[in-house]
């Protein structure tokens, strides 16, 4: 019932162009709100940007972990909400999708386990590559922004922390401490660079006795006005965002839902504290993108800065989770204008978040590919690798009709279907379970 209610709510807010999950759709909502674009056109854009992730990432990840995720739940509710001409129809269609996911996933799991080739169990092999390679994203971000030496230092620190954690706390996820150290190092380097550059600029102005020109920020005035209008529109829907935050945090507290790829495997394993850490660090990479697109378009993310996910994992019951989620999204919406100004004054910190986001995508691309090939090997050895790897390479050769991050998990499921057909035709004998 929680899933159905939250899906209904997310479709409702999408219909009103107040919030969507897909960051790529949000910039198009400004033209729709101003009447320069039609509902059907925006829904078409949303479907085009979302379909590959729903069936290539959201569904395989849910099957592999038994834990729901936002790609499976909220990318479709974006499309359904934007397509619906009436608010009640949007809520009803969102609720229907939530019911399809809840009952359909359970049925799909039962069916998959009865097949000759159980590709769902094989896909659990994806967990280790995703969890451990995801640990390295701060190293990649530091290297991209501050060079090889800083990246090497960050890598050595993370490796030492992982080895230490494996030795001293074998039951805990060793990547949590390493990721924390890497993100702190990246943030510290970015703040230090901004402070040094600010001091140099102040000394330069003092040396030349330069006065600030009155028209120095004249070029930024239109963008400032746009941001102000976006912040005003979002604050006008504060009560709706508080309800949305309560629902998202409540859903996360049930531990049947996770906000990220690595977090889903940790939630499935019962490591809620580690999942909260991983998703918190993941959220840091998307805060600048969400903040700027929200201020520019007047539409927020259905999970805000996604901080409601780690908060929800850690809370013991529904009422604390609902209250904390409402407070979290209310604080985010209220502070959006300040966040926009702060990011404008800290260019290196803003850039570090962009590097974090790119590093997360890069590590997950490799982790999902490696994990998918491992799952294919568990299904059928070399034949499984041939099928899954061949489908992935075909997608690359055809110009990636399916996004790279979603292509590998989709290839595993497709390979599993082919292997079951071959088994029924007595052309392939699965390994005994």
């Amino acid at each position: 019932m929680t899933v159905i209610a939250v899906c209904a709510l997310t479709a409702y807010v999408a219909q009103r162009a107040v919030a969507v999950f897909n960051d790529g759709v949000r910039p198009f909502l400004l033209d729709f709100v101003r009447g320069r674009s039609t509902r059907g056109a925006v829904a078409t854009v949303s479907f085009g940007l979302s379909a590959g992730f729903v069936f290539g990432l959201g569904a395989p990840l849910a099957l592999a972990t038994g834990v729901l995720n936002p790609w499976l739940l909220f990318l479709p509710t974006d499309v359904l909400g934007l397509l619906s001409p009436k608010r009640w129809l949007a809520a009803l269609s969102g609720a229907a999708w939530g019911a399809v996911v809840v009952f359909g996933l359970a049925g799909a799991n039962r069916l998959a386990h009865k097949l000759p080739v159980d590709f769902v169990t094989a896909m659990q092999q994806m967990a280790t590559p995703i969890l451990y390679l995801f640990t390295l994203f701060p190293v990649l971000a530091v290297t991209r922004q501050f060079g090889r030496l800083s990246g090497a230092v960050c890598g050595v620190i993370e490796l030492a922390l992982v080895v230490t954690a494996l030795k001293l706390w074998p039951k805990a996820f060793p990547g949590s401490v390493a990721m924390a150290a890497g993100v702190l190092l990246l943030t510290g380097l970015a703040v230090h660079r901004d402070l040094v550059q600010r001091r140099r600029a102040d000394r330069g102005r003092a040396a030349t006795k330069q006065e600030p020109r009155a028209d120095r920020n004249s070029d930024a005035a239109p963008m400032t006005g746009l941001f102000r209008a976006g912040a005003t529109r979002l604050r006008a829907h504060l009560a709706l965002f508080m309800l949305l935050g309560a629902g998202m945090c409540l859903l996360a507290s049930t531990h049947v839902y996770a906000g990220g790829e690595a977090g889903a495997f940790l939630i499935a394993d019962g490591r809620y504290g580690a999942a909260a850490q991983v998703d918190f660090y993941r959220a840091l990479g998307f805060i600048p993108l969400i903040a700027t697109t929200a201020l520019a378009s007047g539409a927020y993310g259905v999970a805000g800065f996604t901080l409601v996910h780690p908060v929800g994992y850690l809370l013991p019951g529904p009422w604390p989770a609902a209250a904390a989620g409402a407070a979290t999204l209310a604080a985010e919406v209220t502070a959006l204008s300040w966040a926009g100004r702060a990011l404008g004054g800290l260019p290196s910190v803003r850039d570090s978040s962009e590097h974090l986001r790119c590093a997360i995508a890069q590590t997950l691309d490799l982790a999902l590919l490696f994990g998918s090939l491992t799952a294919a090997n568990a299904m059928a050895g070399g034949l499984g690798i041939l099928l899954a790897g061949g489908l992935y390479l075909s997608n690359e050769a055809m110009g990636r009709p399916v996004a790279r991050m979603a292509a590998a998990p989709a290839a595993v499921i497709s390979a599993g279907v082919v292997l079951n057909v071959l088994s029924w035709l007595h052309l392939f004998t699965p390994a005994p379970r």
Side-chain angles (χ1 to χ4, degrees), residues 19-358:
V20 290
F21 174 73
N22 195 325
D23 294 321
V25 175
R26 205 171 299 123
F28 294 93
L29 293 180
L30 181 61
D31 285 342
F32 173 66
V33 170
R34 292 183 171 181
R36 295 199 295 258
S37 180
T38 65
R39 182 175 295 279
V42 178
T44 301
V45 170
S46 179
F47 179 81
L49 294 174
S50 303
F53 285 98
V54 175
F55 300 107
L57 180 61
L61 189 63
L63 287 170
T65 62
V67 177
L68 301 175
N69 57 75
W71 299 277
L72 181 61
L73 290 179
F74 305 133
L75 287 177
T77 59
D78 283 355
V79 179
L80 292 171
L82 291 169
L83 271 176
S84 301
K86 301 292 184 181
R87 295 175 184 178
W88 65 267
L89 182 59
L92 183 62
S93 60
W97 175 252
V100 168
V101 170
V102 170
F103 297 108
L105 182 65
N109 265 303
R110 287 193 298 268
L111 175 63
H113 289 308
K114 294 178 181 178
L115 293 174
V117 179
D118 184 0
F119 58 86
V120 170
T121 300
M123 288 178 68
Q124 294 172 2
Q125 300 287 330
M126 298 168 63
T128 300
I130 288 176
L131 291 176
Y132 281 86
L133 287 174
F134 190 75
T135 303
L136 294 175
F137 77 83
V139 179
L140 300 185
V142 170
T143 305
R144 285 170 174 270
Q145 188 170 7
F146 297 102
R148 299 175 184 176
L149 179 59
S150 298
V153 171
C154 185
V156 170
I157 292 173
E158 284 209 8
L159 177 61
L161 289 172
V162 169
V163 172
T164 302
L166 286 170
K167 183 69 174 178
L168 299 180
W169 310 290
K171 294 183 179 181
F173 174 53
S176 298
V177 178
M179 276 188 281
V183 171
L184 287 174
L185 178 60
L186 175 66
T187 304
L189 290 171
V191 171
H192 178 263
R193 174 179 286 183
D194 283 335
L195 292 176
V196 169
Q197 291 178 345
R198 188 176 298 176
R199 284 197 295 267
R200 287 176 179 170
D202 290 342
R203 285 199 297 267
R205 282 194 294 268
T208 59
K209 296 181 180 180
Q210 181 181 2
E211 293 293 334
R213 285 171 26 203
D215 62 341
R216 179 167 295 177
N217 295 321
S218 59
D219 293 338
M223 187 60 67
T224 302
L226 180 63
F227 278 14
R228 188 180 298 112
T232 301
R233 182 172 189 263
L234 293 172
R235 284 196 296 270
H237 296 93
L238 184 60
L240 188 57
F241 284 119
M242 293 177 69
L243 183 61
L244 196 57
M248 284 291 176
C249 201
L250 174 60
L251 183 58
S253 73
T254 64
H255 301 143
V256 301
Y257 165 83
E261 303 87 344
F265 285 101
L266 291 169
I267 290 290
D269 200 34
R271 303 182 187 182
Y272 307 134
Q277 286 182 281
V278 169
D279 278 7
F280 174 75
Y281 304 139
R282 190 181 194 281
L284 295 179
F286 289 87
I287 286 177
L289 173 67
I290 294 171
T292 52
T293 55
L295 289 169
S297 65
Y300 204 25
V302 294
F305 291 147
T306 70
L307 297 175
V308 289
H309 296 149
V311 171
Y313 301 156
L314 299 176
L315 292 174
W319 297 114
T328 300
L329 239 65
E332 290 177 11
V333 171
T334 305
L336 265 177
S337 295
W338 174 85
R341 290 193 299 270
L343 290 170
L346 295 170
S348 296
V349 174
R350 185 175 64 249
D351 291 345
S352 68
S353 294
E354 180 64 22
H355 288 297
L356 275 176
R357 193 169 63 85
C358 293

Side-chain angles (χ1 to χ4, degrees), residues 339-428:
R341 290 193 299 270
L343 290 170
L346 295 170
S348 296
V349 174
R350 185 175 64 249
D351 291 345
S352 68
S353 294
E354 180 64 22
H355 288 297
L356 275 176
R357 193 169 63 85
C358 293
I360 288 171
Q362 187 175 0
T363 53
L364 285 174
D365 282 345
L366 177 60
L368 288 167
L369 175 59
F370 186 79
S372 298
L373 292 177
T374 304
N377 182 67
M379 288 192 297
L383 178 59
I385 292 176
L386 173 66
L387 288 171
L391 289 170
Y392 178 87
L393 292 173
S394 298
N395 183 69
E396 290 286 310
M398 291 186 292
R400 297 180 197 150
V402 179
R404 176 178 285 175
M405 188 180 293
V412 174
I413 291 184
S414 301
V417 172
V418 172
L419 289 169
N420 277 292
V421 172
L422 293 176
S423 176
W424 288 325
L425 295 174
H426 303 288
L427 297 176
F428 169 71

